[in-house]
Amino acid sequence: MEPVIEIKNLKTSFMTSNGEVQAVRGISFSVNPGEILGVVGESGSGKSVTSMSILRLLADTAVIKEGSEILFEGENLIHVNKKKLRSIRGEKISMIFQDPMSSINPLIPVGKQVGEMIREHHKDISKEKIRQEVLELFRKVRIPEPEKRYNCYPHEFSGGMRQRVMIAMALANKPKLLIADEPTTALDVTIQDQILRQLKELEKEYGTSIIFITHDLGVVAELCDRVVVMYGGLVMEEAMIDDLFEMPRHPYTMGLLASMPDIEQDKSVRLQPIPGSPPDMTNPPKGCPFAPRCPYARSICAAELPDFVEVGERHRTRCFLQYPDAPADAHNPFKKNPLKQ
Amino acid sequence: MVRYFLKRLGMMLVALFMIILLTFVIEHSIPGGPFTSDRKVTPEVEAALNEKYHLNDPLPKQFLDYLNGILHGDLGPSYKYTGKEVTDFISNGFPVSAKLGGITVIFVILAALPLGILAAVKNGKWQDMLVMGIATIGVTIPSFVIASLLIYVFSFRLNWLPTFGLDSWKGYLLPVITLGGYSVSYLARQMRSSLLEVMGQDYIRTARAKGLSETKVIFKHALRNALIPVITVLGPTIANLLTGSFVVEQIFAIPGLGVHFVNSVSQRDYTTIMGVTVFYAAFLLAMVFLVDIFYCLIDPRIKYE
């Protein structure tokens, strides 16, 4: 199956007065048609920078390094000219952002803002036709009384409603790929659930592939087909959703899972936070970025960066302990998942 | 909303009253009076003059009489120019100042906004440096220095433009530049910083993600948002320009209102000080009021209750 988008060795840095911040240090993954790929990681892991790099929406201080490839419809998006890039933005690849309160222009009625998305890419459609399409989109994302809401301004909408507007906007041109950058983080849990369900329905209806960026593994479990776990600007583990939750192979993934609350869990068992904090990306560690926080780290982990190891079907991880020749001593944690004790 | 504006109108009247009261108190607390100038008058004459202009009345009575006059459109006689009413100064001087000021306002808006936008769009590039460099000069160098330089170069050396008077369009050029220089610089800086701030907002990123060209992003999405703080300073700026400037009117010998502003103070011409100040204050309040109405038109979030 031909992937919708293929990211190869993406490196994005920010040039700041304190030096180069290497936010993304060479990540690769691809998304298949109709697939929902979760990209998980904590703040500063480089997941948002990755998503912004795809449509080149980064600040002026950001530099996408030479050799990075983002292959979409046979072209490297890093090198396409601005005009071509604009024809892809919003038409073939669209985005939903984290904060629905600030992501919509406060001075323009919402209907017009969604309509603008269609008009920009389909110049010959009449105003009335666009209006009808926008109303149809509003119905799809369950905005009540679309006719009445069409001329409302964003401040007259709640956070959840605004995120629906964002989704309507993002899906207006039936894009091949939707990048959702923490779309539910700013919303409360009940609204979050509605939005997720809607995304899933719309994905089925339009056949749009989705890259879903989040720090919330619970959301991933609910929505995604496959997961990429990022840490320190690198992919740490990549697996199908069930494999990741059943058989995590990277200590960081295990740590993430252990720090996740479980409704059936005994209340007396405390959640296990991962001790320490993420690495400083102006001066990223030479070895595995997780080594300083890893309970299983060995001397080699700090010295050099491990390669990917295939540990199952479509399941790979970047950890020395997964190397076939790793010593199988008593401390090797991978004999059993600590979560399943 | 109508109720809000009526309330605002009422508050404007209160503010105007306070301004009149303060000006009255301050001018009377300055030592001396309108007839204690270097040309000594005999005590008898001074007493007669004071009697004639009711300057011997208790101050509260003088104040109430003055207020009563304002209500009847009478700002009193000038103490310095015999036979002249203060309203004459305003009705003769204001149209001249306002015409010069009006042209300057247009010049300021047409120059400052595009320059500010250019500087913001070319942030950090040479265009930005150039505009901001000139704007810094414009804000820091006093207008009489700029005026002197302009006259020296364009009138004295090149002999292109007249040094004074407003007889032809050429006469307007130097006064307009001198009068508007500061405002152009100030507003251009304001426009630049405001637009830069807006360009960093999330909804601008959304607009870019839609596939809009940078021109559309700036003019359809950023500019209106960026104009809101600019309009805030535009109101008082317009009031300032329309009511005339002492410096510019003095240098270019323009018979406007600004000259009276300063001269009346040094001459203790009480009624003229009061009249011109009250006129300016009322004008300024009206402009601020207009800005508030304008906000409503540009920003749907503003609903005055």
Side-chain angles (χ1 to χ4, degrees):
Chain A
M1 199 164 30
E2 182 84 356
V4 175
I5 193 164
E6 216 179 334
I7 296 169
K8 285 184 183 167
N9 197 27
L10 175 69
K11 288 181 183 166
T12 305
S13 289
F14 291 88
M15 300 304 172
T16 69
S17 48
N18 292 330
E20 181 186 346
V21 179
Q22 300 177 34
V24 174
R25 299 192 288 148
I27 64 159
S28 307
F29 61 80
S30 59
V31 185
N32 293 324
E35 184 179 48
I36 305 184
L37 176 76
V39 176
V40 193
E42 60 195 275
S43 306
S45 61
K47 55 193 196 305
S48 277
V49 176
T50 304
S51 72
M52 297 291 173
S53 299
I54 296 175
L55 284 178
R56 283 159 47 189
L57 288 169
L58 295 155
D60 293 339
T61 49
V63 181
I64 298 177
K65 291 290 180 64
E66 206 48 49
S68 307
E69 281 181 88
I70 295 174
L71 299 173
F72 180 79
E73 295 190 331
E75 283 188 274
N76 186 352
L77 293 188
I78 310 286
H79 295 305
V80 296
N81 64 30
K82 280 187 176 164
K83 197 163 171 246
K84 173 82 186 165
L85 183 68
R86 283 207 303 272
S87 73
I88 292 171
R89 284 177 177 174
E91 164 75 1
K92 290 178 171 164
I93 302 178
S94 60
M95 274 193 91
I96 304 173
F97 300 99
Q98 178 170 355
D99 188 356
M101 300 314 249
S102 61
S103 295
I104 310 182
N105 193 322
L107 302 187
I108 303 176
V110 289
K112 208 175 156 194
Q113 293 196 52
V114 176
E116 187 183 32
M117 189 83 157
I118 303 172
R119 177 161 316 144
E120 185 60 29
H121 299 282
H122 306 271
K123 306 272 188 234
D124 45 348
I125 299 184
S126 72
K127 276 193 171 166
E128 187 46 39
K129 182 85 177 38
I130 288 177
R131 193 186 136 82
Q132 289 308 323
E133 280 195 29
V134 171
L135 291 176
E136 187 52 36
L137 282 162
F138 277 7
R139 261 174 233 122
K140 279 220 170 92
V141 298
R142 307 229 178 84
I143 292 173
E145 302 179 273
E147 278 90 0
K148 234 169 115 184
R149 293 298 202 163
Y150 186 90
N151 286 318
C152 284
Y153 288 93
H155 69 275
E156 297 167 288
F157 278 55
S158 66
M161 278 299 162
R162 287 190 210 187
Q163 200 57 296
R164 281 163 213 252
V165 171
M166 280 300 289
I167 294 172
M169 200 187 288
L171 293 171
N173 294 320
K174 301 186 176 62
K176 285 187 142 183
L177 177 68
L178 174 68
I179 303 167
D181 186 1
E182 307 221 24
T184 56
T185 306
L187 305 175
D188 65 61
V189 185
T190 46
I191 305 294
Q192 180 173 328
D193 193 54
Q194 291 172 15
I195 298 277
L196 289 180
R197 246 182 268 171
Q198 233 161 50
L199 273 178
K200 206 159 189 167
E201 277 170 32
L202 293 165
E203 179 253 344
K204 287 225 165 60
E205 189 179 337
Y206 289 119
T208 301
S209 305
I210 300 179
I211 297 179
F212 194 94
I213 290 150
T214 182
H215 61 261
D216 187 342
L217 278 168
V219 170
V220 167
E222 204 171 318
L223 189 74
C224 301
D225 302 315
R226 210 152 52 84
V227 192
V228 166
V229 179
M230 283 187 70
Y231 187 82
L234 293 168
V235 173
M236 292 283 113
E237 183 161 8
E238 185 181 336
M240 298 304 286
I241 184 81
D242 292 342
D243 294 344
L244 190 93
F245 280 87
E246 293 297 321
M247 290 181 290
R249 300 300 284 271
H250 195 285
Y252 177 60
T253 315
M254 292 178 188
L256 279 183
L257 289 169
S259 62
M260 204 173 113
D262 182 350
I263 201 157
E264 283 159 19
Q265 196 176 311
D266 183 355
K267 298 274 187 309
S268 64
V269 180
R270 301 201 60 156
L271 288 177
Q272 290 295 317
I274 305 174
S277 51
D280 169 20
M281 301 311 284
T282 43
N283 190 14
K286 193 161 58 147
C288 171
F290 189 60
R293 301 169 74 184
C294 181
Y296 315 112
R298 293 151 173 276
S299 52
I300 189 173
C301 297
E304 51 183 287
L305 189 63
D307 281 327
F308 275 111
V309 191
E310 298 286 336
V311 290
E313 197 191 335
R314 306 189 70 191
H315 190 168
R316 54 181 191 148
T317 185
R318 194 192 271 279
C319 180
F320 279 119
L321 294 167
Q322 291 301 317
Y323 276 38
D325 55 353
D329 60 81
H331 296 293
N332 189 337
F334 301 107
K335 286 177 176 167
K336 56 183 182 184
N337 182 348
L339 277 182
K340 304 279 174 194
Q341 281 162 1
Chain B
M1 196 121 105
V2 175
R3 263 190 61 193
Y4 169 82
F5 282 117
L6 285 176
K7 210 168 109 189
R8 273 295 308 272
L9 221 56
M11 279 159 68
M12 273 166 62
L13 289 177
V14 174
L16 200 57
F17 174 79
M18 295 308 291
I19 291 166
I20 296 170
L21 182 63
L22 269 174
T23 317
F24 188 86
V25 171
I26 290 169
E27 71 177 12
H28 282 276
S29 56
I30 307 171
F35 309 113
T36 51
S37 61
D38 34 57
R39 199 154 53 92
K40 275 279 174 226
V41 288
T42 57
E44 294 78 20
V45 175
E46 196 179 336
L49 281 168
N50 282 345
E51 184 64 30
K52 183 183 175 222
Y53 290 114
H54 306 290
L55 290 175
N56 291 329
D57 288 352
L59 281 179
K61 183 172 187 304
Q62 285 189 41
F63 182 66
L64 289 176
D65 286 346
Y66 185 77
L67 278 185
N68 190 38
I70 289 182
L71 291 177
H72 295 95
D74 177 16
L75 296 175
S78 166
Y79 295 152
K80 275 288 149 179
Y81 302 94
T82 333
K84 286 267 189 193
E85 293 280 322
V86 175
T87 41
D88 292 339
F89 293 147
I90 293 174
S91 61
N92 293 333
F94 181 61
V96 178
S97 291
K99 190 181 176 195
L100 177 64
I103 295 170
T104 310
V105 166
I106 296 168
F107 160 69
V108 165
I109 292 172
L110 290 184
L113 301 194
L115 284 175
I117 294 167
L118 177 78
V121 172
K122 302 283 180 189
N123 183 21
K125 304 216 172 74
W126 67 266
Q127 295 96 327
D128 181 23
M129 310 257 189
L130 183 71
V131 171
M132 283 305 104
I134 294 171
T136 308
I137 293 172
V139 180
T140 46
I141 297 185
S143 58
F144 58 86
V145 176
I146 292 179
S148 312
L149 277 171
L150 288 173
I151 290 175
Y152 178 75
V153 175
F154 292 101
S155 305
F156 187 69
R157 283 271 139 167
L158 299 170
N159 211 7
W160 288 351
L161 301 169
T163 53
F164 65 90
L166 297 173
D167 303 326
S168 71
W169 65 269
K170 279 184 174 173
Y172 278 97
L173 283 178
L174 297 185
V176 162
I177 294 172
T178 312
L179 185 58
Y182 176 86
S183 302
V184 169
S185 310
Y186 183 68
L187 273 175
R189 296 173 70 93
Q190 191 83 27
M191 184 72 238
R192 173 183 179 271
S193 63
S194 173
L195 187 58
L196 275 180
E197 199 200 310
V198 168
M199 290 304 279
Q201 295 290 317
D202 287 352
Y203 55 81
I204 296 302
R205 190 180 55 193
T206 307
R208 288 194 177 121
K210 280 176 163 179
L212 299 184
S213 66
E214 204 56 21
T215 319
K216 276 188 187 165
V217 170
I218 292 167
F219 287 97
K220 281 188 153 176
H221 286 269
L223 200 54
R224 251 178 86 193
N225 283 287
L227 275 176
I228 295 169
V230 176
I231 287 168
T232 313
V233 290
L234 198 57
T237 301
I238 290 176
N240 226 332
L241 294 176
L242 290 185
T243 45
S245 143
F246 171 71
V247 174
V248 172
E249 291 180 0
Q250 194 79 319
I251 292 176
F252 293 101
I254 294 162
L257 193 58
V259 177
H260 296 296
F261 231 135
V262 177
N263 284 350
S264 61
V265 176
S266 58
Q267 294 167 347
R268 307 283 192 284
D269 192 347
Y270 290 156
T271 43
T272 310
I273 299 175
M274 288 296 286
V276 178
T277 308
V278 169
F279 181 76
Y280 177 74
F283 203 79
L284 186 68
L285 287 170
M287 287 313 297
V288 173
F289 187 64
L290 273 181
V291 165
D292 275 2
I293 295 176
F294 207 71
Y295 277 150
C296 275
L297 300 177
I298 202 167
D299 190 343
R301 283 168 298 183
I302 297 175
K303 286 262 182 337
Y304 297 113
E305 296 301 340

